[in-house]
Amino acid sequence: MEALTVDVLPARSGASPCLDLERIIGERRLQPVFQPIVDLQTGTVLGFEGLIRGPSDSALHSPVSLFEHAARCGLGVALDRTCRRVTTERFAELALPGLLFLNINPETLLAPDHRPGETLGFLARIGLPAERIIIELTETHPNCSYLALREATRHYRDSGFRIALDDLGEGFSNLRLWSELRPDLVKLDKHFVQNIQHDPLKEQFVRSMVDIARESGAMLVAEGIESPAELRTLRNLGVSYGQGYLIGRPLAVPALELQASIDGVVWTGNRSRSPIRQAPVAGDLLIEATALTLTDNNETAYQHFANDPDLFAIPVLENGVPVGLLRRQHFLESFARPFNRELYGKKSCRVMMEKHPLVVNAEMNIHDLSSLVVSSGRKYLTDGFIITGQGRYLGMGTGFDLMRKINELQISAARYANPLTGLPGSVPINETIDRLLEAELPFVAAYADLDNFKPFNDLYGYAAGDELIELVGDILVDLADPDRDFVGHVGGDDFVLLLQSADWKNRLDTLTARFDLAVREYFEPRHLAANGFEILDRRGELMFFPLTSVSVGVLCVRPGRYRSYHEVAAAMADAKKMAKKMAGSAIFVERRA
């Protein structure tokens, strides 16, 4: 990294604004502020992004003005160096926890006068190890040298720093930078975060970035989160970390709490909540809508409707709690009747509000919400419903957004489900394993398949074979805890169970016992009497096969033991091979570390 030492810059003749900036840099009249970055699942603070402000009494107080002015004056590198020095010093002085995200322009890294090693010495003097520093590259120029930048970042990685790429989706070429630099973290530009819950294209973009991040081993950080609905949507899409005004504004002295607190957001906290079930909730449909109180009159409501043709309803609150709903069509039709505006305009909106609106909790499962809306009546599909958190008003939801989300879920489920059993296939199985690993939760991975299934299929036909596969799927779904366990169908006669239930062994014993009892109905009496059947093998010779049974290989997964679903799948397959060496239906538990 370039030197952090700042020399007093010589004055430039005839350039008063640049002289002012030179003085600010030379006198270090810059104010660092810090914005928290949190784990979107748990709410715990990962670290802080260090941002900068110019002097409060100066036109250069805004960071945008400050850095644009520096670029015009040719002082960008000098300003960048000074900002980093005052930011790291203040971070250490405040003893802030976690990581420090330090913004650096790539031009600064490539400056010819940088002196490698000086940064490490400076950090050592203020007691800040390099492992706590994230170098956040703010990519703003299209003509940087990728080779030189890759070499520069390699030196910092070798010294213990980590690299982050800022504003993915905004810069000239930061997708190329992602490929070239292989950063440890990637920050998603706020454009793709704002109102993402209402934009399928943004959701698809973020979903793709999550996949790329997973494959490249990078952590994804979403910027500009400003509503609980945005946060929940990002969390459901698999984004690991986030920052924004909803979570915390940039402050000169931020709070030191390691757990964020946000109204309308339920954190898993210390990773105690299962990540297996991540179905969308009502809060993901939230639209911020202006509300009135019982003290507001009907004329005020009319003006709101008149000024906003897209406003479909107005909630009415009492002490922050919803007590009614003004529905657009009903309200405007009533006001249009002769003399009604004169009669009711000055009266409380209580007079014209619906007194029993549909009110739902933000954490209600989207499927339960759909059933509730359909059973409550057609008007809620058009007029919407009120969303609350801990009983207090948060916003509105619409039937259109609800139906769109249900449709998306159905399409996604159909795309990845096994066509025979309807159970999740390989993609959701692998994603669920990775979520469990990332959450550092212990779980049991079980790989089940049928013994002598192909001979059975050849003897009784593929239709009977399909029925046998459906039998296994039905038993597995029935014995699994829907809130803590996951059942997937890899294909053919192979199934995967991811169990967090404490009584997982009893559940698997139930599987083998129920299967052995039920499978007898699929065999002819003579085969039951012989406890097996004969069939010609590939060489035309008769071979005897025992009745079809089920073998289960079990893996007890502890935090930190496996890095990805690839390793878990391989270990499960080994355990299943051991189970298949045992006679009849069997369970083999891999207990080796």
Side-chain angles (χ1 to χ4, degrees):
M1 184 180 289
E2 74 290 336
L4 289 177
T5 303
V6 179
D7 300 320
V8 177
L9 300 170
R12 301 183 182 203
S13 59
S16 178
C18 293
L19 282 174
D20 290 341
L21 181 56
E22 288 177 350
R23 286 198 215 53
I24 290 172
I25 296 173
E27 297 168 8
R28 296 175 54 179
R29 290 191 291 122
L30 300 165
Q31 173 65 58
V33 292
F34 301 92
Q35 185 174 34
I37 297 172
V38 305
D39 184 316
L40 295 186
Q41 295 296 332
T42 68
T44 53
V45 174
L46 173 71
F48 296 85
E49 180 178 3
L51 302 167
I52 210 74
R53 302 289 183 266
S56 58
D57 59 350
S58 166
L60 301 180
H61 176 67
S62 160
V64 174
S65 300
L66 182 67
F67 283 93
E68 286 182 352
H69 193 68
R72 287 195 298 269
C73 293
L75 297 172
V77 172
L79 176 62
D80 202 49
R81 291 175 175 174
T82 307
C83 288
R84 284 182 290 112
R85 179 155 191 166
V86 298
T87 301
T88 50
E89 288 176 339
R90 185 60 175 159
F91 182 83
E93 180 183 345
L94 293 173
L96 293 177
L99 305 172
L100 171 60
F101 286 71
L102 205 55
N103 289 300
I104 298 180
N105 191 309
E107 281 193 344
T108 306
L109 284 183
L110 301 176
D113 60 341
H114 78 284
R115 294 187 287 273
E118 185 166 350
T119 300
L120 283 174
F122 167 72
L123 292 175
R125 288 195 297 274
I126 63 174
L128 200 60
E131 288 75 17
R132 292 185 61 193
I133 303 294
I134 308 293
I135 296 178
E136 188 171 322
L137 299 178
T138 55
E139 199 279 313
T140 56
H141 295 276
N143 297 319
C144 62
S145 167
Y146 292 105
L147 180 61
L149 192 55
R150 187 165 65 239
E151 185 64 21
T153 54
R154 185 183 65 78
H155 285 302
Y156 294 110
R157 277 203 172 104
D158 291 344
S159 299
F161 297 92
R162 278 176 283 183
I163 304 298
L165 181 61
D166 194 21
D167 294 333
L168 177 70
E170 184 194 42
F172 290 96
S173 52
N174 45 21
L175 278 176
R176 167 84 183 269
L177 272 177
W178 191 347
S179 174
E180 293 279 357
L181 302 184
R182 305 298 170 96
D184 304 284
L185 299 98
V186 175
K187 301 187 78 172
L188 191 65
D189 183 65
K190 62 184 179 182
H191 166 79
F192 297 98
V193 172
Q194 292 170 346
N195 294 315
I196 185 175
Q197 71 275 17
H198 302 304
D199 193 328
L201 186 59
K202 287 183 180 180
E203 285 193 21
Q204 185 56 52
F205 179 88
V206 173
R207 189 178 289 111
S208 299
M209 294 305 101
V210 169
D211 291 340
I212 296 174
R214 183 182 297 118
E215 290 300 320
S216 67
M219 295 189 293
L220 205 59
V221 181
E223 298 183 297
I225 302 174
E226 297 186 359
S227 74
E230 291 171 352
L231 189 150
R232 292 192 195 93
T233 302
L234 292 164
R235 188 161 61 182
N236 290 334
L237 290 172
V239 178
S240 302
Y241 301 96
Q243 67 185 110
Y245 284 176
L246 176 72
I247 297 166
R249 291 177 175 268
L251 296 173
V253 184
L256 296 179
E257 287 83 0
L258 293 178
Q259 177 74 33
S261 176
I262 300 172
D263 290 339
V265 176
V266 178
W267 304 107
T268 63
N270 297 325
R271 307 187 184 274
S272 61
R273 188 175 169 192
S274 169
I276 282 183
R277 293 286 175 257
Q278 291 197 334
V281 294
D284 296 327
L285 307 176
L286 188 142
I287 299 172
E288 295 181 3
T290 301
L292 299 179
T293 68
L294 293 176
T295 60
D296 291 309
N297 59 34
N298 289 314
E299 182 63 32
T300 302
Y302 175 78
Q303 294 301 326
H304 279 293
F305 282 126
N307 293 333
D308 187 355
D310 295 325
L311 185 62
F312 57 92
I314 302 176
V316 181
L317 312 180
E318 184 176 21
N319 298 322
V321 177
V323 294
L325 186 70
L326 296 168
R327 297 188 289 120
R328 181 185 187 89
Q329 183 176 355
H330 172 266
F331 184 92
L332 294 181
E333 285 178 354
S334 297
F335 245 45
R337 292 171 187 161
F339 307 114
N340 271 13
R341 185 169 182 180
E342 290 78 7
L343 287 172
Y344 298 116
K346 299 299 182 183
K347 292 185 177 181
S348 166
C349 57
R350 180 198 297 269
V351 176
M352 300 186 69
M353 75 181 189
E354 179 183 338
K355 296 179 175 59
H356 301 287
L358 182 59
V359 180
V360 301
N361 187 277
E363 293 300 316
M364 176 179 282
N365 182 285
I366 207 85
H367 298 290
D368 296 337
L369 173 60
S370 176
S371 299
L372 178 62
V373 169
V374 171
S375 64
S376 297
R378 183 179 300 173
K379 64 182 179 181
Y380 296 113
L381 287 172
T382 55
D383 297 331
F385 42 88
I386 299 174
I387 301 175
T388 61
Q390 299 179 340
R392 302 188 67 81
Y393 174 72
L394 294 178
M396 291 285 295
T398 70
F400 173 79
D401 286 338
L402 172 61
M403 293 302 102
R404 181 176 66 83
K405 182 61 70 174
I406 290 291
N407 187 52
E408 289 175 1
L409 292 174
Q410 290 173 340
I411 291 173
S412 178
R415 179 182 300 167
Y416 296 120
N418 185 281
L420 179 60
T421 61
L423 292 172
S426 296
V427 171
I429 290 171
N430 296 337
E431 289 177 346
T432 303
I433 292 174
D434 275 344
R435 282 203 300 269
L436 286 163
L437 295 175
E438 290 168 7
E440 297 181 355
L441 288 170
F443 66 97
V444 169
Y447 191 174
D449 85 341
L450 298 178
D451 307 313
N452 306 318
F453 175 72
K454 187 179 185 306
F456 172 89
N457 218 35
D458 292 341
L459 180 63
Y460 286 96
Y462 70 87
D466 285 351
E467 290 182 9
L468 211 57
I469 291 172
E470 290 177 311
L471 169 66
V472 178
D474 291 342
I475 295 174
L476 292 177
V477 170
D478 189 48
L479 65 83
D481 182 335
D483 293 322
R484 296 188 57 79
D485 303 330
F486 175 95
V487 180
H489 186 180
V490 178
D493 59 324
D494 290 350
F495 293 82
V496 167
L497 294 90
L498 305 174
L499 306 164
Q500 290 184 283
S501 299
D503 60 343
W504 61 267
K505 183 62 168 63
N506 291 336
R507 293 175 189 267
L508 295 179
D509 287 338
T510 301
L511 163 64
T512 56
R514 285 180 57 178
F515 180 84
D516 285 346
L517 182 63
V519 77
R520 299 181 66 82
E521 299 180 7
Y522 292 82
F523 286 94
E524 297 177 3
R526 60 192 177 96
H527 294 148
L528 292 175
N531 205 30
F533 54 92
E534 288 185 327
I535 191 171
L536 293 174
D537 64 11
R538 294 178 179 177
R539 294 173 299 200
E541 298 177 359
L542 276 177
M543 284 194 65
F544 179 82
F545 294 94
L547 298 180
T548 304
S549 54
V550 60
S551 293
V552 186
V554 178
L555 191 67
C556 297
V557 181
R558 300 297 174 193
R561 182 172 295 179
Y562 300 95
R563 292 174 295 181
S564 71
Y565 72 84
H566 295 284
E567 295 182 0
V568 173
M572 275 196 298
D574 289 341
K576 188 194 72 170
K577 291 175 185 176
M578 297 300 294
K580 292 184 79 66
K581 293 180 180 180
M582 303 162 70
S585 292
I587 299 171
F588 177 83
V589 181
E590 176 59 82
R591 301 193 181 278
R592 294 172 296 178

